Amino acid sequence: MTFSPDHWQSRLDALRATHRVPGATLAVFTEGKIHELASGLLHRGTGVEATTDSVFQLGSIAKLYTATLVMQLAAAGELDLDAPVIEVLPGFSVADPDATKAITTRQLLSHTSGMTCDFTYDSGRGDDCLATYVTAARNVVLDCPPGAAVSYSSVGYNVLGRIVEVLTGRTWDQALKERLLAPLSLTRTMTLPEEALAFRTAMGHLPGDGGDPEPAPAWDMMPRSAGPYGRVLATAADVLRLAKLHLDGGSAPDGTQILGPRAVAEMQRWAVDVPDKWAVSADGWGLGWSLYDWNGIPGYGHDGASIGQYGFLRVVPGADLVVVLLTNGGAARPLYADLFRELLLDLGGVHMPPAFAPPARPPLVDMAPLVGTYRREGVVITVSVRPDGAPHLLYEFIGGMQDFSPPLSMDLTPLSDTVFAASGVGSSFGGDWMPVVFGTLVDGTPCCYIDMRCAPLAAC
């Protein structure tokens, strides 16, 4: 159907208010045109209004920028995706010597390297921050052996960023500007906080004592080294223009071929299934892209989150449709789900799956095979059964992440023998329920997936 700005502005305003999201911007490409909408406030403390030229933190959507840079190098013959990373980065290593020799760039792109996600390390503001970070991560324990499973990895994307630096002779920030931002005229996309001072910039909001979210204690808590996995700032329309590069086979609006069509197709090709199909709404993963199967209609995209800011990008290639939503707090994921369910159906014929929730009559499940302690870097997950027979999960941050949050105690409601809904996690994550998925690695080791991170069984 034809895009109606007035209708969708009304829907954005209403749904944003319903879900108590302070501010949001929406960009839609359909029928050959880009439409931009904005709603609410950038900062509840100052009352500054959100506008279509407002800049938001993109969180993990930044991974698409890094993946595109890497695929440029591969398409130019400067990088073999299937060669061990140590051939490009001779100093690269991880805690497992065998894994050090085995991890490839392709595995880093598809989150199958086994490298963990949440290694927090501030390596400073210098141009050597990525090199220092990658060196510091060498002793971090892997989530699983390379190729054993998909496990979402921000650390892996920092290694990719370092590969970009070594092969281009530029910092990751500089390479991004010169090889992507400038050719695409993305004038409202940046990587450093001081660059954002020239623009209307969204403040993240976190749950407060009242019903509405409150401004976060700091605007930007990420170090410079977080760039390749999570530190790009942009308007919704600029994010859309990056996605449109891929929709158009790697060609810029002026006809310049920024990324070869074969590389574009390879990024969108199914590389691995995703056991947890609900945390980021993904059915599979390509080389950088989350992949979706909407009842036979294929799509791709990515989600992102920083401190109190959340972004959502979806592409429906068969409908020549791109939709980007950027938000700054509140129940952002339910807003995305409600708004995109309407938008993608109306403009792309896509029926999105219903919100994740347990059935009215949960099945009876034998918990004995699942009980135990699961571990990954910075996190311990303890699955048990209460005296009344109810399944329970305790999620604890340890080590360098111990100050992130108090332990989270959650009751589990089964959807099947391996999929459970955890209650009491807060609406900004995923509504009233968080998916907890149990599976096995290729060697048969049991594992637990939360937020697409794989934690192998450590003890029964």
Side-chain angles (χ1 to χ4, degrees), residues 264-399:
V264 169
E266 192 167 10
M267 290 181 70
Q268 298 169 20
R269 190 173 299 125
W270 203 283
V272 62
D273 288 337
V274 174
D276 177 358
K277 301 182 184 302
W278 303 275
V280 293
S281 307
D283 297 294
W285 221 272
L287 301 186
W289 288 108
S290 304
L291 303 179
Y292 316 107
D293 180 356
W294 294 302
N295 295 316
I297 297 178
Y300 53 92
H302 212 289
D303 292 354
S306 64
I307 302 300
Q309 301 198 41
Y310 308 89
F312 308 89
L313 163 62
R314 298 292 181 270
V315 182
V316 187
D320 206 28
L321 173 66
V322 184
V323 184
V324 179
L325 175 69
L326 303 181
T327 69
N328 64 345
R333 183 163 286 276
L335 166 61
Y336 141 77
D338 288 349
L339 182 61
F340 278 43
R341 187 168 286 111
E342 295 181 21
L343 269 167
L344 296 190
L345 178 61
D346 190 61
L347 302 176
V350 167
H351 291 269
M352 286 177 56
F356 178 78
R361 301 173 72 100
L364 294 175
V365 173
D366 179 11
M367 290 297 296
L370 307 178
V371 168
T373 301
Y374 302 78
R375 292 178 180 269
R376 62 178 179 84
E377 177 66 23
V379 170
V380 174
I381 300 166
T382 305
V383 178
S384 62
V385 177
R386 293 187 185 277
D388 63 0
H392 181 264
L393 183 146
L394 182 67
Y395 190 94
E396 298 176 274
F397 292 104
I398 61 173

Side-chain angles (χ1 to χ4, degrees), residues 28-62:
V28 179
F29 176 80
T30 184
E31 298 180 321
K33 295 181 180 179
I34 296 176
H35 305 271
E36 299 179 70
L37 304 175
S39 179
L41 303 177
L42 294 180
H43 192 305
R44 290 191 65 243
T46 64
V48 174
E49 295 182 351
T51 56
T52 56
D53 61 354
S54 298
V55 170
F56 287 71
Q57 296 176 29
L58 303 185
S60 284
I61 294 176

